[in-house]
């Protein structure tokens, strides 16, 4: 009989998927696994950096920033490969 999944189990499974995506140099897989982890951990909510409304940034904004910067994604992939 299988025990109920825990948050830790789900995060570990997504980390495994992320590792595979990194090894396969699959940016979409890395992003999907990272976004899924962020959502499970509640990091997809706005983060207020300052009292000014212009300083609010979401995970979606960060992902758009990654998508619009040609050099940032390869740097993140390289960093992730070095880390794992």
């Amino acid at each position: 009989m299988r025990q109920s999944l825990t948050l830790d189990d789900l995060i570990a499974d997504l980390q495994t998927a992320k590792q595979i995506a990194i090894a396969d140099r699959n940016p979409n897989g890395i992003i999907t696994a990272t976004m899924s982890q962020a959502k499970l951990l509640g990091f997809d909510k706005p983060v207020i950096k300052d009292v000014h409304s212009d300083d609010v940034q979401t995970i979606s904004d960060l992902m758009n920033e990654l998508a619009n910067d040609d050099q940032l994604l390869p740097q993140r992939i390289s960093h992730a490969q070095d880390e794992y």
Side-chain angles (χ1 to χ4, degrees):
M1 182 174 175
R2 182 164 163 75
Q3 291 180 319
S4 296
L5 286 175
T6 66
L7 179 60
D8 288 338
D9 295 332
L10 296 172
I11 294 296
D13 288 348
L14 287 167
Q15 188 62 32
T16 299
K18 188 171 163 183
Q19 297 295 336
I20 293 167
I22 290 169
D24 290 346
R25 300 186 59 81
N26 177 356
N28 289 332
I30 296 167
I31 290 169
T32 299
T34 301
M35 289 297 295
S36 296
Q37 287 175 319
K39 286 180 181 181
L40 283 174
L41 295 171
F43 294 140
D44 59 330
K45 309 294 185 253
V47 176
I48 298 175
K49 294 180 181 178
D50 199 346
V51 295
H52 304 291
S53 63
D54 292 341
D55 293 329
V56 175
Q57 190 169 33
T58 64
I59 293 293
S60 178
D61 294 335
L62 292 173
M63 296 311 290
N64 288 335
E65 189 176 316
L66 276 174
N68 293 326
D69 186 331
D70 292 337
Q71 296 302 312
L72 194 54
L73 185 57
Q75 290 171 359
R76 295 293 294 159
I77 290 172
S78 177
H79 172 75
Q81 287 174 327
D82 292 343
E83 289 291 313
Y84 303 103

